[in-house]
Amino acid sequence: MEKSVPRSRSKIASELIQAYHDAIYRVATLDEALQLRVDRRSSELAALYEIYGCKSACFITACNPLSQLRSTQLNREANARLRVELERVARAIFDSDGSDPDGEGPREPGFLALGIDEAQAAGLGNSYEQNAVLWAGADAIPRLMLLR
């Protein structure tokens, strides 16, 4: 089973971890756009759980592995492969993006996948060489899952 790495033992720079923590994660649902924040309960996410009959979610991208910038084309291709994998295991998938709350830097496209357990989230994040993913359990609180 894949496990997250404790912040104190992570190989990720503390500034980058803080940037992930502070980011705004926008999700385009069928009805509206919602925003997720790390360690903040989302009643909108809880409502999606009810609609889709699940108790977990993962926000994930395949863009910019190990935080190394890649071309838009390479990121688009990697996200397309990730979406195919998510379609096999998720209850529902919503296009999403993560960005700096101050609007500095580009938005990084990704997905909110409902019904993904912790091990699946970590496994997918690792297979796309991501530093971290967001995972939320039944409490609908997105938590930063560090992967290295």
Side-chain angles (χ1 to χ4, degrees), residues 30-31 48 55 63 67 91 108 111 114 120 124 139 142 148:
L30 300 176
D31 298 327
L48 285 175
K55 294 182 181 176
C63 293
S67 293
R91 287 277 186 140
E108 193 169 82
F111 307 100
L114 299 181
Q120 289 170 315
L124 286 165
D139 59 6
R148 56 180 212 100

Side-chain angles (χ1 to χ4, degrees), residues 34-99:
L34 63 96
Q35 293 185 359
L36 301 177
R37 300 295 296 264
V38 174
D39 296 334
R40 294 186 193 172
R41 186 179 188 283
S42 171
S43 58
E44 295 91 348
L45 181 58
L48 285 175
Y49 286 179
E50 288 291 320
I51 292 166
Y52 290 95
C54 62
K55 294 182 181 176
S56 63
C58 174
F59 178 93
I60 187 169
T61 183
C63 293
N64 304 319
L66 303 176
S67 293
Q68 301 299 308
L69 293 179
R70 292 177 116 184
S71 71
T72 301
Q73 182 62 30
L74 286 175
N75 283 332
R76 190 176 294 129
E77 291 168 2
N79 261 353
R81 288 190 304 274
L82 173 59
R83 183 175 189 95
V84 168
E85 288 193 58
L86 291 172
E87 287 171 349
R88 288 187 225 142
V89 295
R91 287 277 186 140
I93 303 165
F94 300 96
D95 290 329
S96 305
D97 67 60
S99 66

